[in-house]
Amino acid sequence: MKRQILLIEDEVNIAKFVELELKHENFEVRVVHDGREGLEYALFEAYDLLLVDLMLPSLNGLEICRRVRKQKNTPIILITARDAIIDRVSGLEAGADDYVVKPFAIEELLARIRAILRRVGGEDERNSKLVMSELLVDKNAHQVFYQDNQIELTKTEFDLLVLLMENKNKVLARDSILETVWGYDVEAETNVVDVYIRHLRKKIPEMSHMIETVRGVGYVMRQ
């Protein structure tokens, strides 16, 4: 599977050059020229690595790093024309994993990308995320976010939500849910599933319509 990179760079010529080189190296690349739009992609889609310019319209690279780090551990490389020590320190303290100064040799950038992906295991990072609309679940961090807001769930509520999202568009019977989440398929009251579904709908009301009741069977989550 190809590694996926989000490039947030407002200089069109640089963005096009980097995009072509990355694709030549067998990466999949999404290019965004606006900081705020780039942040939305970074938070609500799953990437193996982010390449972020420091000076961007709408939202600068440092703020993107800070906001991403509140929710995700996706590797970040800052790209900037500013070479002062204070700028490098600020970038790393904001959550960047590395810092590349323009003009840079594309071979150096590619080497840094590969080194970071080897170190952090970018494939595992991507697979740990579940995304549906504006709902993000990070299985590794055991965190749930709707838009920029973290949703506090109990372990059972979290496990139930993960099960529904991993089986989106598939109807799950109550007894199957009970066995998977609670760990048994005995003569337990299956209405405990209904109770916890109500908990999820109450805690994430904006997404409650996505959890559909299939009368006489169970539940299904649809986007």
Side-chain angles (χ1 to χ4, degrees):
M1 183 181 295
K2 291 184 179 181
R3 297 292 181 88
Q4 298 183 11
I5 293 178
L6 174 63
L7 172 60
I8 311 175
E9 167 62 72
D10 64 325
E11 295 187 43
V12 176
N13 290 338
I14 292 177
K16 188 63 177 176
F17 169 69
V18 173
E19 178 188 13
L20 290 174
E21 291 293 334
L22 290 173
K23 286 183 174 179
H24 181 71
E25 295 296 319
N26 209 34
F27 291 103
E28 289 186 5
V29 186
R30 178 187 291 277
V31 179
V32 181
H33 301 296
D34 176 82
R36 194 167 298 280
E37 182 184 5
L39 176 64
E40 291 179 0
Y41 280 112
L43 291 180
F44 301 117
E45 293 190 4
Y47 295 93
D48 293 296
L49 184 136
L50 310 180
L51 291 175
V52 183
D53 187 34
L54 185 60
M55 304 302 293
L56 292 163
S58 300
L59 200 67
N60 66 49
L62 290 181
E63 189 60 27
I64 290 174
C65 286
R66 292 189 188 101
R67 297 193 189 186
V68 169
R69 280 293 167 262
K70 289 180 180 179
Q71 300 188 23
K72 307 176 77 173
N73 295 318
T74 310
I76 301 172
I77 297 178
L78 277 180
I79 302 175
T80 179
R82 299 166 66 173
D83 192 22
I85 293 298
I86 186 63
D87 295 318
R88 293 172 181 259
V89 171
S90 297
L92 296 172
E93 288 184 343
D97 297 272
D98 206 346
Y99 199 104
V100 179
V101 179
K102 300 175 184 175
F104 53 83
I106 191 64
E107 292 81 6
E108 178 188 4
L109 178 61
L110 291 171
R112 292 183 182 227
I113 289 172
R114 293 191 189 99
I116 288 177
L117 291 178
R118 283 196 302 269
R119 186 170 73 244
V120 303
E123 193 71 27
D124 290 340
E125 169 71 20
R126 191 173 72 220
N127 290 339
S128 75
K129 304 295 190 301
L130 298 171
V131 181
M132 289 183 69
S133 186
E134 295 181 282
L135 183 66
L136 167 72
V137 172
D138 185 333
K139 294 190 291 183
N140 286 349
H142 210 275
Q143 293 177 321
V144 178
F145 296 90
Y146 178 74
Q147 295 180 343
D148 286 334
N149 302 312
Q150 185 169 356
I151 308 298
E152 296 295 335
L153 299 181
T154 66
K155 181 183 184 304
T156 301
E157 291 165 351
F158 181 87
D159 291 344
L160 176 57
L161 180 60
V162 167
L163 178 65
L164 291 169
M165 292 181 71
E166 287 183 333
N167 292 275
K168 70 176 181 179
N169 300 320
K170 178 181 177 181
V171 178
L172 300 175
R174 285 179 177 83
D175 55 357
S176 174
I177 295 173
L178 196 65
E179 178 180 2
T180 302
V181 176
W182 280 265
Y184 50 77
D185 58 351
V186 294
E187 323 288 313
E189 294 291 336
T190 56
N191 65 359
V192 70
V193 176
D194 303 329
V195 171
Y196 274 82
I197 290 289
R198 287 199 297 272
H199 289 176
L200 286 180
R201 286 171 170 163
K202 184 177 181 179
K203 289 189 174 182
I204 319 174
E206 299 87 352
M207 312 297 293
S208 61
H209 65 283
M210 295 169 58
I211 304 175
E212 298 180 10
T213 303
V214 180
R215 190 175 299 277
V217 182
Y219 295 93
V220 57
M221 197 163 185
R222 304 187 195 276
Q223 187 165 356

